[in-house]
Amino acid sequence: MKQSRVAIFAALVLLAGCGGGSSSVLLSDPRPSISPLEVRIYRSVPEGATEIAQLQTSSGMGFGSQSQTDAVIAQLKRQAAAVGANGLVIMGLSSGPSNGGVSVGASSWGNTSGGGLSFGVPTSQQRASGLAIYVPEALPEEP
């Protein structure tokens, strides 16, 4: 019985950390969706590009790892691809405390004595914003 409670608690902690939030604001008509693998990251908006949407996302709770940054960039690329953008300009990345935390505890009790131990582990959340853009393919050079 005790092991099943620990397993249920561990599953709840993992599920709580899985989700982040995402939002987008369309700036122009979306284009047909594409694969996120086709979305290229730019440092600034190239000349002739069309701004399609402002994007925001956040990671699930974690411990401030590179994988959280990778996850929010991948999510921005998925959002950009969904509105047909073939380009993405990262506008901001930030890290801050998450709205939750992880606590690990153990206790023991009996008919005549009791005791316990608990400690908390701080967690963080990665946030990112970007601009989904469509960059027309370059025209072939004339001979």
Side-chain angles (χ1 to χ4, degrees):
M1 180 71 168
K2 193 176 196 180
Q3 289 177 343
S4 66
R5 285 184 184 169
V6 171
I8 291 170
F9 174 75
L12 290 174
V13 167
L14 289 173
L15 288 174
C18 288
S22 297
S23 67
S24 62
V25 176
L26 287 174
L27 303 174
S28 64
D29 291 332
R31 301 177 57 81
S33 63
I34 62 172
S35 166
L37 298 173
E38 297 176 62
V39 177
R40 183 175 169 194
I41 295 178
Y42 292 88
R43 290 180 188 240
S44 61
V45 179
E47 189 174 328
T50 302
E51 296 180 0
I52 297 178
Q54 291 178 338
L55 311 172
Q56 288 187 319
T57 191
S58 60
S59 68
M61 72 180 177
F63 302 105
S65 65
Q66 179 64 41
S67 64
Q68 280 183 295
T69 301
D70 295 343
V72 293
I73 298 298
Q75 178 59 27
L76 285 177
K77 289 179 84 173
R78 285 191 294 273
Q79 286 179 273
V83 295
N86 63 358
L88 173 66
V89 179
I90 306 297
M91 304 302 286
L93 283 170
S94 66
S95 183
S98 69
N99 294 331
V102 177
S103 291
V104 179
S107 66
S108 146
W109 60 91
N111 292 334
T112 57
S113 65
L117 170 67
S118 179
F119 63 93
V121 179
T123 59
S124 67
Q125 189 172 39
Q126 186 76 28
R127 294 168 187 83
S129 61
L131 182 63
I133 58 175
Y134 176 75
V135 181
E137 293 190 29
L139 297 173
E141 293 184 38
E142 293 183 15

